[in-house]
Amino acid sequence: ICFRIFLFLFSIRNLSGLASPKTIKCRSCLSMKTATLEGNEIRKPLEPFGDTVLVKTYKAKEVLDSGLFLPNASNSTPNRGKIILTGEGKKHWETGQMYPMHSKVGQSVFFGRYDGLSIKYNGEDHILMRDDDCLFSFEGDEPQLSSMEMHADKILVKIQKEKEIVKASGVLVASSVEARKGTVGEVIKMGPGKIAPNGKSFPMHCEIGDIVKFRDFSAEWLDTDELNVDGDEYVVIKNTDVMAKW
């Protein structure tokens, strides 16, 4: 009899503990926590789909003589950020082969100024974009040649300085012109290549050190002080933009 009474009292204690107001209150508080999109609450955090990535953006910084860092006013459109979330990858529409994601959570990435969809997520600037829109990843806050890793079929090219002959007062004068429309340069870095439906990488058209001619208006120019040293200019192109090499 004593043992039965003990079991009865023990079961009442457990039931009262499970149904305690304090426990119910804590669970309800957790369920009420929501994210915000464009200032409006959404029922749960964003989940990128397929080959979509969520990037928290920031602008390039410039260093003052005092050592302070300020946003670069000339670079009003963000083109870099940190990957917060990624989708599971993209499947080939016919074979069902899953294309692996080149972008990883936590990476700092550089992307085209007009790529992706800008959103305000949890009160901060973010961009939703495709994995293929990420040009390269890098370490730290600003991209540097030593830490850059090209994504997929992206190629980093150092533009060759073009020389033109200027006729002034009947005298031919050679002058070095850093042509913004240059489409010839040296391959500095390359990605591993785009993934084919069979899971292997497509071959790249060129190698590091090659001089290449690429399509007009196909390049993404890198306006960063860290890369444009000694007057050099760099662009990122895709493997399919290369028209010739030597």
Side-chain angles (χ1 to χ4, degrees):
I1 295 175
C2 293
F3 180 71
R4 290 181 179 178
I5 294 174
F6 172 78
L7 289 178
F8 176 73
L9 294 175
F10 182 77
S11 62
I12 292 178
R13 181 182 177 184
N14 286 344
L15 288 174
S16 62
L18 290 173
S20 64
K22 192 175 293 185
T23 303
I24 296 174
K25 184 178 180 180
C26 291
R27 289 176 180 173
S28 63
C29 289
L30 289 174
S31 63
M32 290 176 63
K33 290 183 178 179
T34 57
T36 62
L37 180 63
E38 306 299 346
N40 300 314
E41 287 191 357
I42 53 179
R43 66 186 185 92
K44 62 179 183 178
L46 288 180
E47 296 180 15
F49 176 75
D51 63 342
T52 305
V53 297
L54 177 66
V55 179
K56 183 178 179 182
T57 62
Y58 59 87
K59 297 179 182 179
K61 297 177 180 179
E62 60 182 1
V63 185
L64 302 179
D65 293 336
S66 61
L68 296 176
F69 285 90
L70 292 177
N72 191 340
S74 63
N75 187 7
S76 57
T77 305
N79 58 358
R80 67 205 70 194
K82 181 162 289 189
I83 296 179
I84 306 300
L85 296 169
T86 69
E88 69 279 6
K90 182 180 179 181
K91 285 186 178 181
H92 188 269
W93 65 275
E94 187 174 1
T95 65
Q97 172 72 38
M98 179 70 76
Y99 294 98
M101 299 285 287
H102 291 281
S103 304
K104 308 297 181 184
V105 172
Q107 281 183 333
S108 294
V109 292
F110 195 99
F111 47 87
R113 296 188 188 280
Y114 305 105
D115 290 332
L117 174 66
S118 297
I119 62 173
K120 186 77 76 173
Y121 181 55
N122 289 338
E124 296 181 304
D125 292 329
H126 290 73
I127 282 184
L128 283 169
M129 64 175 62
R130 293 165 50 220
D131 182 37
D132 190 53
D133 292 330
C134 295
L135 304 180
F136 58 83
S137 57
F138 58 93
E139 298 176 1
D141 293 332
E142 298 295 331
Q144 296 184 358
L145 284 175
S146 59
S147 66
M148 289 171 55
E149 182 178 341
M150 310 308 294
H151 281 210
D153 62 341
K154 309 303 188 302
I155 303 172
L156 179 67
V157 176
K158 182 170 72 173
I159 295 298
Q160 278 194 337
K161 297 177 182 178
E162 297 183 4
K163 292 184 178 181
E164 67 178 9
I165 303 300
V166 180
K167 188 173 182 179
S169 304
V171 179
L172 294 179
V173 180
S175 63
S176 176
V177 178
E178 297 175 28
R180 189 62 174 176
K181 296 181 181 179
T183 55
V184 175
E186 179 186 355
V187 175
I188 304 300
K189 290 194 173 187
M190 301 190 311
K194 241 182 177 181
I195 304 298
N198 61 5
K200 298 181 180 180
S201 296
F202 283 109
M204 300 292 283
H205 295 327
C206 52
E207 298 178 353
I208 293 176
D210 284 346
I211 305 298
V212 295
K213 171 73 175 178
F214 53 89
R215 301 177 189 275
D216 291 336
F217 311 111
S218 62
E220 181 71 30
W221 290 80
L222 305 184
D223 292 322
T224 58
D225 295 335
E226 289 80 4
L227 296 182
N228 300 341
V229 292
D230 299 327
D232 291 330
E233 290 189 297
Y234 295 83
V235 298
V236 176
I237 60 175
K238 293 183 178 181
N239 189 41
T240 52
D241 296 326
V242 177
M243 303 181 69
K245 68 176 182 178
W246 59 91

